[in-house]
Amino acid sequence: MTKAQLRTRSYRRSALALLAGFLILLGLMSGGIISNQYRGVLISVFIYILLATSLNLTTGALGELVLGHAGFMSIGAYTAALVTMHLELPGMIEFPLALLIGGGLAAVFGIIIGIPALRLRGDYLAIVTLGFGEIIRVVIQNMTITGGGRGLYGIEEYTTFPWVFWITVLGVAFMYAMIYTRQGLAILSLRENEIAAESVGIPATRYKVLAFTVSSFFAGVAGGLYAHYITVLDPGTFDFNMSIEILVMVVLGGMGSFTGSVLAATVLTALPELLRGFSDYRMLIYSILLVVMMILRPQGLLGKREFSLDRLWEKAAGLFRRGKTEERGDA
């Protein structure tokens, strides 16, 4: 098989696996096997998957430490919420339109912040993005239209499992595919050696801003999903701790691995809920597991590698063929 045929087969298998997973989860929810409580956990998992993979685009693929991701999430959340509160359109039109507007405004702020900030490197960039994230939060907290410090109430509950599942799948698929385009490879080259990349004609600032803008857009979309699931927005939610929480997911999954971010976001979002039976000790257990994980595997769960259904399929088929061969040999 040619590389194109192998890639097409891989995409087809992934699409079928996602469709099967969606139908199984939907069936379990409809049958009452997955309760409303765990349905809410699943929705939160997918929102954090979109946040973690979008941050991985800048922190993992581009290699720049960004600490203001919660700021872009808050822009998307408040913008999308205000759009649905003031528009009188059917929900099937109003909700996706609100998400696009929220993500678009977050992307605009990503460009505004990214052009000056991405000229810096390392700790300086982290400090600047942290400052911008806090500025955004304070501005929102002092605006009348956003409800100020009291928060924003009366948001429609549009975020359902099918919406959040497919929006997250499309977002992650777009960012994953982007990395294998010419622009994505230019972004990866800047991570490996910025001086060498610039010496062969790659404009560093342009591609850094591109990665930062796409990352901000999907953070804004995730914020819109969050707003229409929680239905009440408190500016204090989008503080420094939220940015750190998203960054921990990226580091734990493996910086540069999108499937690693998916896995880490799933584990870190679901784990506190699964440990609810140990309510007195669950945060202690959660913290110890994180520390042990980073000591034993500092490169993260998957490092820079991506999980592949094809590799899993080939290994399973190889084990099956080997078992059949051994059975014939014994016979």
Side-chain angles (χ1 to χ4, degrees):
M1 281 192 179
T2 64
K3 285 185 177 179
Q5 288 174 324
L6 288 171
R7 195 179 299 116
T8 302
R9 187 183 68 178
S10 176
Y11 291 157
R12 191 183 300 121
R13 284 178 178 173
S14 298
L16 288 173
L18 284 167
L19 181 59
F22 171 74
L23 292 175
I24 290 169
L25 288 171
L26 201 61
L28 291 173
M29 289 176 190
S30 301
I33 298 171
I34 294 179
S35 64
N36 287 334
Q37 177 187 355
Y38 286 104
R39 180 185 304 188
V41 173
L42 274 173
I43 290 173
S44 297
V45 163
F46 281 98
I47 291 171
Y48 275 102
I49 285 173
L50 192 55
L51 285 167
T53 49
S54 62
L55 181 59
N56 204 357
L57 192 60
T58 50
T59 300
L62 183 60
E64 299 288 358
L65 182 59
V66 176
L67 293 179
H69 213 54
F72 300 112
M73 181 188 178
S74 66
I75 291 171
Y78 276 94
T79 303
L82 289 169
V83 167
T84 56
M85 288 172 71
H86 292 92
L87 280 183
E88 296 295 335
L89 293 173
M92 289 293 292
I93 299 172
E94 187 178 70
F95 183 46
L97 179 63
L99 293 179
L100 287 173
I101 293 173
L105 188 60
V108 169
F109 274 88
I111 295 171
I112 294 170
I113 294 170
I115 290 174
L118 289 169
R119 298 179 185 276
L120 303 171
R121 298 179 185 176
D123 298 340
Y124 301 104
L125 176 61
I127 292 167
V128 169
T129 52
L130 171 63
F132 275 119
E134 287 300 299
I135 289 169
I136 291 169
R137 183 181 64 81
V138 171
V139 169
I140 289 173
Q141 199 167 354
N142 287 278
M143 290 177 67
T144 305
I145 193 172
T146 60
R150 295 180 296 105
L152 191 63
Y153 296 85
I155 305 168
E156 294 282 348
E157 191 176 352
Y158 282 135
T159 301
T160 59
F161 176 72
W163 272 115
V164 75
F165 182 93
W166 289 114
I167 289 171
T168 300
V169 165
L170 291 173
V172 174
F174 177 87
M175 287 182 279
Y176 180 80
M178 176 185 168
I179 289 299
Y180 294 96
T181 63
R182 186 179 67 177
Q183 291 79 12
L185 293 174
I187 290 168
L188 291 175
S189 70
L190 292 171
R191 179 189 68 187
E192 299 301 326
N193 193 318
E194 187 174 333
I195 295 173
E198 286 185 308
S199 69
V200 295
I202 293 175
T205 302
R206 181 193 305 173
Y207 286 110
K208 282 184 177 183
V209 172
L210 172 64
F212 201 68
T213 303
V214 174
S215 174
S216 303
F217 173 81
F218 284 108
V221 172
L225 290 169
Y226 175 85
H228 290 91
Y229 169 60
I230 299 296
T231 69
V232 175
L233 289 177
D234 176 9
T237 304
F238 306 100
D239 62 0
F240 168 70
N241 292 318
M242 172 70 83
S243 294
I244 293 297
E245 189 177 344
I246 302 166
L247 181 62
V248 167
M249 294 174 183
V250 174
V251 174
L252 182 64
M255 294 174 67
S257 172
F258 286 96
T259 46
S261 293
V262 171
L263 181 58
T266 303
V267 171
L268 293 184
T269 307
L271 192 60
E273 191 62 37
L274 296 175
L275 292 173
R276 190 171 289 277
F278 306 93
S279 56
D280 293 335
Y281 305 102
R282 67 187 180 118
M283 293 313 295
L284 177 62
I285 296 170
Y286 175 80
S287 303
I288 290 172
L289 288 174
L290 280 179
V291 171
V292 170
M293 177 64 203
M294 295 318 298
I295 290 173
L296 297 179
R297 193 169 175 82
Q299 70 271 38
L301 293 170
L302 295 183
K304 292 183 181 179
R305 295 178 293 111
E306 299 288 355
F307 173 78
S308 171
L309 277 176
D310 270 355
R311 284 199 298 267
L312 187 63
W313 180 272
E314 293 302 330
K315 285 182 181 178
L319 289 171
F320 179 75
R321 286 193 296 268
R322 192 181 307 162
K324 286 290 185 183
T325 305
E326 289 174 356
E327 282 179 10
R328 284 196 295 269
D330 292 338

